[in-house]
Amino acid sequence: MRKRIPKILVTGGAGFIGSAFVRRVIATRQSSVAGKQSQSFEVIVVDSLTYAGDLKRLNWGLSPKGTVPNFYQVDICDKQKIDSIFKKENPGIVVHFAAESHVDRSINDATPFIETNIKGTQILLDAGRKYNAKKFIFISTDEVYGEIANGKFNENSPIKPNSPYAASKAAADLLVQSYIRTYKFPAIIIRPSNNYGPWQYPEKLIPLAILRILGGGKIPVYGKGLNVREWLYVDDCVAGILAIMNKGKIGEAYNLGSACESKNIDTVKLLLKTLGASRNRFEFVKDRLGHDIRYSLDSGKITRELGWKPGVSLAQGLKLTVAWSLKHQAWLKSKLKDINKLYIN
Ligand code: NAD
Ligand code: TDX
């Protein structure tokens, strides 16, 4: 008898990290078809294609056979449609990436963040319960812990978010914890640090900076550029998520960081060097409201328990990201109108 291939339902699979995850799972399936030993999955993507979603990301680098078989353009807040997808597809695993993900937009208007990040997560949790999902992976964020001037957050640090975005993710994170405790719902929470790499929407610091340089402008650095972020290359993040999905303990939370910490001003200077642009192509601009000074994760748990370690340094990751960006300038520039709208107010 033929063994049934496990089915993964991926929300937000047309986004930056979700699409990298889907491409990796599909590439793994192709290599296992080609005879190499690795776990094989069927993938279903649910994504409403907001401004941040783009189907181009999904097909990138895959052979025609590798295209995603089941794509549902559906809002995760649409309870009836989500219910009918779960009923029809009956996924064993759910990996939930879909979210409003940009802090500056949440400062302008928190409404879609509350809807998608909180209500959407509840709808998925309920569908997962109703249709007996065996594993529900929630992609949370390091921002749920708030800022830390010295030291590192571990998985037991208090949840103390600061921006409307972070508060909406924290609410969802706590909701997942409540389902684990109340219903013994088989969920795992992952809290990654700042990701960067190919296909990131150019509203976030690194792709925005590249876009500004390609357009002949300067990079806007908030405040004095002293805020610190922990930069994780997206392929390392995806490898960590897969390790947790395959071998992580149900009911647990895992930090997923690179330990590559850098002040924004240093990140920008390294990026300018990587681009071969002059060192003064940045300007200090008005600071972000409530700007978190530093994020820093203790990611010892995933390394100890699952053997995952990041493989890409910030310098290597920026080289890869710049090389990709130079080949995909048209895509980056196609988002320029939307980005410019964001900064008029
Ligand atoms: P992204 O903004 O690039 O992609 C989000 C995707 O979700 C898009 O394809 C969008 O169309 C989809 N989406 C949004 N609202 C939806 C809705 N109501 N219904 C269905 N689909 C919807 O985000 P990303 O950077 O890939 O982040 C993915 C996840 O990882 C998010 O949950 C985010 O909070 C988390 N995260 C991101 C980072 C980072 O640095 N990018 C770091 C830590 C955690
Ligand atoms: O133009 C800019 N200038 C600037 O100085 C932008 C867009 C950002 N910044 C600063 C703000 C932050 O200190 O750079 C740092 C990084 O900013 P973002 O790329 O907007 O990321 P951040 O706010 O740190 O949040 C990110 O990491 C955690 C993601 O957007 C979240 O989705 C994730 O949860």
Side-chain angles (χ1 to χ4, degrees), residues 120-165:
T121 300
Q122 182 226 333
I123 286 170
L124 290 166
L125 286 167
D126 286 340
R129 280 188 67 217
K130 185 167 170 189
Y131 295 100
N132 270 318
K134 299 286 170 279
K135 225 181 255 185
F136 186 103
I137 310 293
F138 174 60
I139 310 301
S140 183
T141 168
D142 60 355
E143 297 196 23
V144 299
Y145 298 118
E147 63 184 1
I148 188 161
N150 300 299
K152 290 174 177 298
F153 291 119
N154 65 38
E155 289 81 357
N156 297 318
S157 299
I159 302 291
K160 212 170 160 294
N162 292 320
S163 71
Y165 160 73

Side-chain angles (χ1 to χ4, degrees), residues 8 21 24-25 28 41 190 237-248:
I8 314 179
F21 175 84
R24 170 75 74 95
V25 172
T28 308
F41 297 99
I190 306 182
C237 182
V238 163
I241 294 170
L242 275 171
I244 294 166
M245 185 185 89
N246 288 324
K247 300 178 289 179

